[in-house]
Each structure stands twice: as C-alpha cells, then as structure tokens.
Amino acid sequence: LEAAEMVKLANNTFRDLSFSFANELALLADKYNVNAFELVNAANEGYPRNNIPSPSPGVGGYCLTKDPILFSSTSNGPRNDAVLGFSSRRVNEKAAFYPVDLIKKYAERLQIPVSNLNVLIVGIAFKGIPETTDIRGSVAIDVFNELKGNVKKVFGWDAIIESKGLQAIGFEIAENLQSAIGFVDVVLIMNNHPDNVSSDMYVSSQNRKLLFDGWNQLDKVEVEKIPGLTYATMGYMTP
C-alpha cells in the first residue's frame, strides 16, 4: 500500500517539478522580455537529452496542487527534509499570478489605474486538453479572485462551461466571446482548449487592448501587426 501511494505521489510531484522549472525559466525570461515559449523550443531543438516542458500561467487541477504537498509530508505534518515538493508549488503558484503582474505593468504603460480596466478571462476549466469542465484548483479562478474588486469588471468565458456556472462563481457574463473581446481592455487566455481561441482576437481596437496568450496559441507576429493590440505571453510583452 505504501509503495502504491508513493508511485502516485512520485508521478504527480515529478510533473509539478518539471513544470515549475519551465515556469521559473519564464519568470527569469520576463526580466529580459524574452518569449519563454520560443526560449524552450530553442533549448529543446536538436538536443534529445532534455525535453523541457512548455511554461504556463500556473499549474492547477486537483492532483498536482496537492500531491507535492503530500509527498513532502507525513501524517504528523511537513517532513523536515522535504524540499522539492514545496519548491515546485511555490514556483507554480507564483506563475499563476504572472498575468496579474502583467496587467499592472500594462496599466502603468498606459498611465491609467488598474481599476479602470475591464478584464476577460478565457478558459476557466483547470485545463483545456484533455477537454474538461472541472474547475477544481483552477488557476483562472485564482486570478479572478485576485482581480475582483481591483479592476472595473471581470468577465468569464469558457467554450464548454455554461454561462450559469461561471455566473455562480461571480464572473460577469457576455452574450458571446466576440462581444466580450470587443468590450474589454484585457484578455487573459488561461487554458489551452482550442475552442477558447477565436479569430475575433485578431481584430484592431480603437481602445488599446492587451492579449495575454498564456498557452502560445496565437500568432505573435500577426497580433503585433494589428493597431491597438499589445501581445503578451510568459516572459514577454510587446515593447
């Protein structure tokens, strides 16, 4: 029984650790305004000994948020010799709020208060692939709770979660994704479900707009050609 439980904790803690390396790399890349996805792709290219995973705006879900803590603990509390499980959680929780820091940086650039911004969070389920409606441990909801009361309004959209479910959480609801994109000042793409990305995001805006591409699903070059749009991802924002 002990070995079986350790196998489960080993798998999930190792995954959280590998993601935390990519996310710590992204947080370092931010200091130099380097696109962390491009950085990881360059590091992996032609080097089969490593396969660094892609970064992300945090690591959520029901398993990876708790199993590194269980791995680092006994029934009496945290182990004195535990290091890695707690470390991965700290990095991935910090990465979860990276979009919030980007919004603050963007507001400073515009020289307006954060409280003047309307924000749309796209992708509320804790992951996009495989498809799920599960919101347990969702980073998108953590970001929503951080922004609520600090920005003007926070809208929510997910291609496979019904509006009434998002409304119950506290999100403002738009009639459709197109109208929400047109109304807000900031769009945060928080999971990688392909249906959460729309061609409506490639539309010029009279009011300036920040597009945070949390899973590298948009074409940075094309977005940056469009007047009024500022592109951002892990480690990078349009200068």
Side-chain angles (χ1 to χ4, degrees):
L1 291 175
E2 288 83 357
E5 180 65 14
M6 287 180 70
V7 164
K8 173 176 178 288
L9 297 180
N11 273 316
N12 286 338
T13 303
F14 181 82
R15 280 172 58 77
D16 199 53
L17 272 165
S18 66
F19 297 148
S20 73
F21 177 80
N23 283 335
E24 185 162 313
L25 190 61
L27 296 172
L28 174 62
D30 178 75
K31 298 183 184 301
Y32 305 97
N33 203 36
V34 171
N35 185 319
F37 287 95
E38 295 176 358
L39 182 68
V40 167
N41 288 339
N44 288 338
E45 185 175 3
Y47 195 60
R49 297 178 70 181
N50 288 342
N51 186 22
I52 302 171
S54 294
S56 68
V59 178
Y62 184 62
C63 293
L64 268 60
T65 51
K66 68 174 177 58
D67 282 358
I69 305 302
L70 296 176
F71 171 79
S72 305
S73 306
T74 69
S75 58
N76 296 319
R79 290 190 285 110
N80 291 331
D81 59 342
V83 175
L84 296 178
F86 291 132
S87 297
S88 71
R89 280 288 80 220
R90 281 196 296 271
V91 172
N92 287 331
E93 287 167 4
K94 186 175 181 180
F97 294 105
Y98 180 75
V100 177
D101 293 335
L102 270 180
I103 291 174
K104 293 175 182 176
K105 189 187 298 185
Y106 180 67
E108 287 178 9
R109 178 181 294 187
L110 298 185
Q111 296 184 324
I112 62 172
V114 170
S115 57
N116 284 9
L117 298 174
N118 288 301
V119 178
L120 169 64
I121 300 179
V122 178
I124 311 303
F126 84 86
K127 64 181 176 181
I129 300 174
E131 183 178 289
T132 182
T133 58
D134 196 342
I135 61 171
R136 291 177 298 174
S138 167
V139 172
I141 295 177
D142 292 337
V143 170
F144 164 74
N145 288 328
E146 185 73 12
L147 292 175
K148 184 176 60 177
N150 293 311
V151 299
K152 190 180 290 185
K153 289 184 178 180
V154 186
F155 293 81
W157 174 269
D158 191 292
I160 61 168
I161 298 179
E162 293 184 3
S163 295
K164 63 182 180 181
L166 301 182
Q167 200 164 25
I169 296 168
F171 285 102
E172 299 283 341
I173 303 301
E175 291 183 13
N176 53 58
L177 182 56
Q178 180 183 20
S179 65
I181 291 170
F183 178 76
V184 300
D185 307 290
V186 176
V187 178
L188 305 178
I189 303 172
M190 296 297 293
N191 75 24
N192 59 349
H193 194 294
D195 291 345
N196 283 328
V197 176
S198 166
S199 60
D200 296 309
M201 295 173 179
Y202 293 90
V203 176
S204 62
S205 176
Q206 291 183 344
N207 298 322
R208 287 177 287 185
K209 194 184 309 294
L210 173 67
L211 291 181
F212 172 68
D213 182 16
W215 290 84
N216 197 39
Q217 293 169 284
L218 302 177
D219 187 321
K220 173 176 76 77
V221 174
E222 291 303 314
V223 172
E224 291 186 328
K225 289 179 182 177
I226 299 170
L229 299 186
T230 295
Y231 177 88
T233 189
M234 299 300 295
Y236 174 85
M237 183 164 65
T238 303

